[in-house]
Amino acid sequence: MEALAQEKIEKLLRGEVKYTSSNLALNMLISKMQKRLQSDPQSMEACIKEMDEFMSKYPIVAKVDLANIVAL
């Protein structure tokens, strides 16, 4: 994952920016990662890894939503 994309996703997971995807699975993953970070602030690396795996598994979602997240 690119550095800028990772930085934006970290902000998204910390709740500093808001983003709602048209993809329900991505929205659920974001919510799950946000809750995980709230209960364990040291888990950012694991959350980024899981987001990256999701984006790798679903490249079409990644292409559209990652571009939108970077634009935040």
Side-chain angles (χ1 to χ4, degrees):
M1 184 179 303
E2 295 177 20
L4 180 59
Q6 182 171 334
E7 178 185 329
K8 294 288 187 162
I9 288 176
E10 288 178 8
K11 285 183 177 184
L12 176 66
L13 296 181
R14 285 193 298 265
E16 296 172 10
V17 295
K18 291 201 175 265
Y19 177 73
T20 303
S21 172
S22 59
N23 183 289
L24 179 61
L26 180 59
N27 289 333
M28 291 173 61
L29 180 62
I30 290 169
S31 294
K32 177 182 163 186
M33 297 298 104
Q34 287 173 331
K35 288 176 186 172
R36 181 190 292 178
L37 273 175
Q38 287 175 352
S39 65
D40 180 13
Q42 303 300 318
S43 66
M44 179 62 80
E45 189 175 320
C47 291
I48 291 295
K49 183 177 183 214
E50 192 166 337
M51 292 288 291
D52 195 32
E53 289 171 356
F54 179 86
M55 297 293 184
S56 296
K57 191 173 182 180
Y58 303 103
I60 293 174
V61 173
K63 182 179 179 184
V64 173
D65 288 304
L66 204 52
N68 291 338
I69 291 169
V70 169
L72 293 175

